[in-house]
Amino acid sequence: MKMKAAVMTEVGKPLQIQTVDLASPKANEVLVKIEATGVCHSDLNALYDDTTPTPAILGHEGAGVVVEVGTNVKNVQAGDKVALSWMPYCGTCEFCVTGAVHLCESAFGPMFNGTLLDGTSRLSKDGNPIYHYSLLSTFAEYAVVPEMSCIKLPEKMPFAQASLIGCGVATGYGAAVNAAKVTPGSTVAVFGIGGVGINAIQGARIAGASKIIACDVKDANLEIAKKFGATHTVNVGKENGEEALKSLTNGYGVHYAIDCSGHTSATETAWKGTRKGGTIVVVGAFNPAMTLNLPAGGFHRAGKILKGSFYGDIQPYRDFLRISELYLDGKFMLDELILKRMTLDRINEALESFHDCNCINVGRSVIEFTSTPIQCEETSFERIP
Ligand SMILES: [Zn+2]
Ligand SMILES: [Zn+2]
């Protein structure tokens, strides 16, 4: 079939809106009509990454409706409303059978090679292949995706909000709920208030934390954090983070720290500001050249747990649905994460907004494909002057 898509033709060049070909789904694949797709900082990173195979169709946060299923597909059928996961898992490896599906490695090869799971592409133009991105390629009117990427959602779930669940929302929520396992009445510090950190705050709020302390170097981000459930804020660029966290917790430090910043220095502060027996979860990707420096003295007596968390340790079939239900019950904020709604032809504007230092990266631009007129732009947060 022919469809309109935003194509990455070269590294760092604006995406081009082109008419491309999409082949039918093969076994264990699903054709989805994309209704909404979030524009993520990872898409921008891929656009500027010279290891991204080109031409490619980016986009890895999507929601839509199942149009057609390939052979052997059992979990979804035509007409189902789905949100997409960029980490399909195999279900049979050591990690999957022990419940850690977020550690399954089966998708990584195809993900880095720009193909679907069978090593080939369904996308082409004039007979020349176009690469997939993160097995989804949602910057297009339709996508052929692995069955395991399709998570059926409640009929009431709106598409724009649903499209956001599969990336920063699930990662942040899962970091608090699944990885840290925040308990009611506990104290939580979240470092790095961006697209993931803001949802770690939401996860901690839903898990019943009594104090949620947002830590960032930008006051504007800290103000936004309060709207999502932070009870206290610490500007760690101006204040001593360890002392601030201890003074807010009777001198003990927090029970849980979740570092979404990607900076080793923040993890070091999080470690120091966490009480004995507490847990520090690292979500952000460190620069591999960096080294984490933790105090060796008294390490064994502190009894702390330091753990990494990938994709929020989520089980998509469980957590996408839970987040949707929480949203529909008014307990999880997704409307507020949508900064702008726009059509596909304005996608470069959405990507460029990440370069705009006035843009707060907590929220998202969402591309919508509906044929009904698009509402006026919505902006939920004030932009930093
Ligand atoms: Zn993303
Ligand atoms: Zn597996």
Side-chain angles (χ1 to χ4, degrees):
M1 65 184 287
K2 301 272 183 200
M3 66 169 182
K4 202 165 78 165
V7 181
M8 171 182 171
T9 54
E10 280 181 72
V11 174
K13 294 281 163 61
L15 303 183
Q16 288 182 14
I17 306 298
Q18 296 181 351
T19 299
V20 304
D21 293 295
L22 180 64
S24 298
K26 293 188 179 177
N28 304 306
E29 293 175 359
V30 176
L31 172 65
V32 177
K33 180 181 187 307
I34 302 295
E35 294 286 352
T37 175
V39 181
C40 179
H41 207 277
S42 300
D43 296 307
L44 183 75
N45 291 346
L47 179 60
Y48 282 88
D49 184 346
D50 57 17
T51 68
T52 303
T54 54
I57 297 174
L58 304 177
H60 62 280
E61 303 182 357
V65 177
V66 173
V67 176
E68 184 189 335
V69 298
T71 55
N72 204 33
V73 169
K74 298 181 184 71
N75 292 327
V76 289
Q77 57 186 26
D80 283 349
K81 181 178 277 195
V82 292
L84 302 177
S85 158
W86 48 256
M87 258 291 287
Y89 57 90
C90 74
T92 55
C93 72
E94 164 83 18
F95 302 109
C96 285
V97 297
T98 51
V101 299
H102 61 286
L103 298 180
C104 179
E105 294 178 2
S106 63
F108 285 150
M111 195 182 287
F112 296 128
N113 293 333
T115 66
L116 292 183
L117 292 172
D118 73 346
T120 65
S121 174
R122 303 294 159 270
L123 296 160
S124 62
K125 182 171 171 59
D126 304 327
N128 300 311
I130 295 176
Y131 292 100
H132 293 254
Y133 177 63
S134 278
L135 300 111
L136 298 181
S137 296
T138 56
F139 292 167
E141 292 175 305
Y142 292 85
V144 170
V145 303
E147 173 185 18
M148 294 298 275
S149 290
C150 292
I151 317 298
K152 189 178 173 183
L153 293 186
E155 203 43 50
K156 276 190 276 182
M157 194 65 201
F159 288 113
Q161 286 81 347
S163 74
L164 302 184
I165 292 177
C167 194
V169 168
T171 303
Y173 163 89
V177 174
N178 300 329
K181 296 190 174 16
V182 170
T183 51
S186 61
T187 52
V188 181
V190 177
F191 285 73
I193 309 304
V196 174
I198 202 74
N199 293 301
I201 287 175
Q202 297 217 71
R205 189 190 74 228
I206 285 162
S210 63
K211 277 187 184 159
I212 302 171
I213 306 161
C215 303
D216 200 286
V217 295
K218 290 184 183 164
D219 287 327
N221 289 359
L222 295 173
E223 282 306 306
I224 293 167
K226 289 183 195 167
K227 298 180 184 175
F228 286 81
T231 57
H232 299 77
T233 61
V234 176
N235 186 323
V236 287
K238 296 176 186 165
E239 295 177 62
N240 179 313
E242 176 186 357
E243 285 173 13
L245 292 182
K246 286 183 172 168
S247 75
L248 287 166
T249 52
N250 298 320
Y252 287 114
V254 293
H255 292 93
Y256 306 96
I258 301 167
D259 183 11
C260 307
S261 73
H263 294 290
T264 51
S265 59
T267 302
E268 289 156 7
T269 304
W271 175 271
K272 292 176 193 159
T274 299
R275 71 180 59 198
K276 289 202 281 185
T279 300
I280 301 94
V281 171
V282 175
V283 182
F286 291 139
N287 176 341
M290 298 292 285
T291 303
L292 201 53
N293 291 304
L294 300 178
F299 187 93
H300 64 303
R301 284 198 306 275
K304 298 183 194 180
I305 297 167
L306 175 65
K307 64 185 288 189
S309 174
F310 182 63
Y311 204 10
D313 294 19
I314 60 161
Q315 162 44 269
Y317 289 100
R318 176 191 65 197
D319 293 320
F320 280 28
L321 201 57
R322 284 191 187 175
I323 293 167
S324 299
E325 296 289 357
L326 285 164
Y327 167 76
L328 292 170
D329 289 344
K331 293 174 183 154
F332 199 100
M333 297 163 68
L334 293 176
D335 301 346
E336 295 78 0
L337 294 176
I338 302 172
L339 292 183
K340 283 185 183 176
R341 295 165 177 249
M342 52 178 71
T343 46
L344 186 65
D345 51 1
R346 288 173 60 197
I347 189 150
N348 289 305
E349 200 181 308
L351 287 166
E352 279 161 21
S353 69
F354 287 113
H355 292 305
D356 174 3
C357 55
N358 289 330
C359 179
I360 300 165
N361 289 340
V362 169
R364 286 273 189 280
S365 298
V366 173
I367 306 291
E368 292 180 302
F369 295 84
T370 173
S371 53
T372 54
I374 302 290
Q375 303 166 23
C376 308
E377 285 184 2
E378 293 181 8
T379 305
S380 304
F381 314 134
E382 306 81 34
R383 290 161 77 84
I384 304 174

